[in-house]
């Protein structure tokens, strides 16, 4: 089974570590820490909550296709915990980043439409939008170009190419396969943190390297208050050996608008071991994808822990039994009291209950339904068919006449 939450202060399962004489602060700290698999660092987070009740968190996301359950339900739950503790959550809609990473064929108009779809999903999934802001990277960077690019240039001159290359896992890319644009990606993502004024980077563990880069930048520039890193768990893919979900493998993940029958089919066929398997352990060499030890790597138990039991007071019913915590449900399965089939059927019922409001929204809302239909069509296209349109700078608008003079290049010996 997975280890309890880890923090940079060395305290395992540290959610109760706030001063005993301030129960309100202790409760807020516990709530925020419950979001992360790791916090760098807990003492800094405690101080932030104490001194700045309206703290700012951020996460960036590439609009790159349909949303799976980790981005949808799991993220909505985590955001609600953070905002309930007093935080304001900024979502950085990373449209330019998706373009650099060649998502949606590099078509910016498609990328923007996918971003609109993601917001529809989060709204339907129950994310409390009262303390949530969405900012579009292309729009914000263009409006504040001098501020943004001055910061980005300063970040870039502080680090070597080798150091930046190590961060490129954030895009799912390996060193040696990067385009020049993709080398810019970590530099810009580090810049985003300061540009948005984020106190807390609340992204997945897979983004940890670039978040640590931001803390290194603070050391190099003598910035006193470093961004706190609160890294959430990466859900396993449903197929054996998948350390994270894959959008390219339809059986790897449950998507937010999957029909109930499809959710049940995927979960009933999901990898679900009771003991460690050597073939899966050999695949799990990507240490940076998960920070806590979990030899089993069972995606069904992973869903149970991080999706079903994520809301406070959640219960789980399977095989005629109702469980009030993850530990007892996991023990029942591993001990043989709860069969694999009953575990999976109970899990399918619980997940479908969480997804039903999203399905209803996309059935009833014309705009949401149109967005989903269009994106499904795009995703069905062969990759080679996704050719980005040629873009030209429109320097003169409104039919203004312009004259072009063609002349030979200047010469050192003019005639």
């Amino acid at each position: 089974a997975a280890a309890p939450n880890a923090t940079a202060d060395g305290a395992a399962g540290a959610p109760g570590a706030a001063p005993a004489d301030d129960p309100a602060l202790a409760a807020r700290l516990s709530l925020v820490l419950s979001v992360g698999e790791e916090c760098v660092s807990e003492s800094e987070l405690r101080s932030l909550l104490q001194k700045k009740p309206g703290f700012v968190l951020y996460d960036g996301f590439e609009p790159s296709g349909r949303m799976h359950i980790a981005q949808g339900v799991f993220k909505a739950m985590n955001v609600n915990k953070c905002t309930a503790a007093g935080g304001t959550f900024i979502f950085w809609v990373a449209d330019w980043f998706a373009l650099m990473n060649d998502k949606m064929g590099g078509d910016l108009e498609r990328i923007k439409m996918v971003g609109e779809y993601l917001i529809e999903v989060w709204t339907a999934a129950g994310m409390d939008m009262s303390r949530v802001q969405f900012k579009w990277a292309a729009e914000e960077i263009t409006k504040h170009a001098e501020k943004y690019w001055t910061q980005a240039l300063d970040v870039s001159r502080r680090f070597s190419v080798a150091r930046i290359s190590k961060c490129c896992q954030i895009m799912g890319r390996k060193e040696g396969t990067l385009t020049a644009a993709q080398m810019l990606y970590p530099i810009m993502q580090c810049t985003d943190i300061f540009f948005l004024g984020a106190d807390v980077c609340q992204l997945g563990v897979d983004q940890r390297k670039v978040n640590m880069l931001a803390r290194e930048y603070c050391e190099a520039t003598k910035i006193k208050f470093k961004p706190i890193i609160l890294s959430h768990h990466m859900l396993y893919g449903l197929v054996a050996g998948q350390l994270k979900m894959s959008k390219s493998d339809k059986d790897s993940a449950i998507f937010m608008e999957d029909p109930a029958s499809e959710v049940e089919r995927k979960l009933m066929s999901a990898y679900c071991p009771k003991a460690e398997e050597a073939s899966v352990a050999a695949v799990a060499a990507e240490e940076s994808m998960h920070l806590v030890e979990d030899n089993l790597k069972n995606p069904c138990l992973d869903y149970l822990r991080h999706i079903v039991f994520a809301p406070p007071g959640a219960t789980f019913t399977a095989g005629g039994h109702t469980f009030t915590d993850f530990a007892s449900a996991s023990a029942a399965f591993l001990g043989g009291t709860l069969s694999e089939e009953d575990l999976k059927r109970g899990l399918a019922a619980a997940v479908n209950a969480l997804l039903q409001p999203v399905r209803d929204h996309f059935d009833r809302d014309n705009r949401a339904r149109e967005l989903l239909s269009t994106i499904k069509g795009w995703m069905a296209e062969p990759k080679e068919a996704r050719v980005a349109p040629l873009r030209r700078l429109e320097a003169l608008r409104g039919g203004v006449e312009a004259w072009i003079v063609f002349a030979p290049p200047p010469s050192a010996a003019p005639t």
Side-chain angles (χ1 to χ4, degrees):
N5 292 37
T7 75
D9 295 341
D21 60 348
D22 191 345
L25 177 60
R28 292 170 63 223
L29 179 63
S30 176
L31 192 58
V32 175
L33 283 173
S34 70
V35 167
E37 191 164 88
E38 179 193 54
C39 179
V40 182
S41 70
E42 184 190 333
S43 61
E44 293 173 16
L45 179 61
R46 184 188 303 115
S47 177
L48 175 69
L49 297 185
Q50 196 166 23
K51 297 175 180 177
K52 188 179 179 182
F55 59 102
V56 176
L57 311 96
Y58 114 97
D59 190 358
F61 65 93
E62 284 184 7
S64 59
R66 293 176 64 201
M67 182 184 283
H68 55 55
I69 195 169
Q71 291 176 305
V73 170
F74 187 43
K75 190 65 196 181
M77 290 176 177
N78 284 343
V79 168
N80 288 349
K81 289 176 181 178
C82 293
T83 56
T88 294
F89 209 104
I90 297 176
F91 276 105
W92 188 234
V93 189
D95 42 10
W96 271 4
F97 291 76
L99 177 63
M100 285 189 289
N101 209 9
D102 201 30
K103 297 297 175 69
M104 304 308 295
D107 188 325
L108 195 56
E109 293 307 312
R110 289 188 175 191
I111 290 167
K112 288 179 178 178
M113 190 172 287
V114 174
E116 294 171 12
Y117 149 81
L118 297 179
I119 295 171
E120 292 280 351
V121 176
W122 276 318
T123 303
M127 185 182 288
D128 179 5
M129 296 296 182
S130 62
R131 298 182 68 89
V132 171
Q133 300 174 17
F134 291 94
K135 295 189 176 185
W136 295 74
E139 180 181 334
E140 294 296 324
I141 294 172
T142 301
K143 281 196 302 186
H144 307 284
E146 182 177 357
K147 175 184 177 183
Y148 187 90
W149 293 114
T150 301
Q151 179 80 71
L153 286 171
D154 195 53
V155 170
S156 65
R157 73 187 186 90
R158 303 280 178 175
F159 300 102
S160 68
V161 171
R163 177 67 183 89
I164 295 298
S165 297
K166 289 179 180 179
C167 294
C168 289
Q169 179 208 35
I170 60 176
M171 300 175 292
R173 308 284 178 176
K174 295 180 180 178
E175 294 180 54
T177 66
L178 302 168
T179 65
Q182 287 162 350
M183 283 293 293
L184 283 173
Y185 196 116
I187 294 167
M188 291 175 66
Q189 186 170 330
C190 182
T191 301
D192 295 341
I193 297 166
F194 304 100
F195 179 71
L196 296 170
D199 301 305
V200 180
C201 303
Q202 205 293 279
L203 296 87
V205 168
D206 61 335
Q207 306 295 303
R208 183 180 188 274
K209 288 182 178 180
V210 76
N211 291 332
M212 291 301 293
L213 187 77
R215 289 179 65 89
E216 291 175 31
Y217 174 76
C218 290
E219 292 175 1
T221 54
K222 305 294 189 291
I223 294 175
K224 182 178 180 181
F225 296 107
K226 301 174 184 176
I228 295 160
I229 304 172
L230 187 64
S231 304
H232 63 248
H233 174 74
M234 301 296 294
L235 284 175
Y236 298 128
L238 296 175
V239 178
Q242 290 183 335
L243 296 185
K244 64 182 288 188
M245 295 178 179
S246 169
K247 288 186 178 181
S248 60
D249 182 350
K250 293 182 179 179
D251 288 331
S252 171
I254 289 169
F255 293 90
M256 293 296 291
E257 333 79 16
D258 274 347
S261 58
E262 184 71 352
V263 171
E264 185 170 352
R265 182 193 70 77
K266 289 180 180 180
L267 287 174
M268 293 306 294
S269 60
Y271 177 62
C272 191
K274 287 188 176 181
E276 180 181 4
E277 296 184 3
S279 60
V280 173
V283 175
E286 300 175 52
E287 36 72 34
S288 56
M289 202 64 71
H290 296 93
L291 298 175
V292 296
E293 185 178 358
D294 178 12
N295 295 329
L296 204 56
K297 297 176 179 59
N298 182 322
C300 295
L301 294 180
D302 206 36
Y303 270 51
L304 186 60
R305 179 176 188 175
H306 293 285
I307 299 290
V308 177
F309 278 110
T315 61
F316 173 65
T317 300
H321 301 279
T322 297
F323 302 93
T324 58
D325 57 65
F326 170 74
S328 59
S330 176
F333 168 68
L334 296 175
T337 306
L338 182 64
S339 70
E340 178 179 330
E341 180 177 357
D342 285 341
L343 169 69
K344 289 180 172 180
R345 292 201 181 282
L347 189 57
V351 169
N352 272 322
L354 291 169
L355 297 186
Q356 193 56 47
V358 179
R359 295 190 198 107
D360 291 343
H361 177 68
F362 279 88
D363 283 341
R364 297 168 185 168
D365 187 281
N366 291 335
R367 174 59 177 162
R369 186 168 59 249
E370 179 184 341
L371 284 170
L372 178 59
S373 175
T374 301
I375 291 165
K376 281 183 174 180
W378 290 338
M379 298 304 291
E381 294 175 355
K383 281 193 175 181
E384 57 272 15
R386 302 176 194 172
V387 180
L390 179 65
R391 298 181 187 86
R392 295 179 175 87
L393 178 64
E394 189 179 352
L396 298 171
R397 299 171 184 258
V400 177
E401 280 192 359
W403 295 90
I404 300 175
V405 177
F406 293 94
S411 168
T415 58

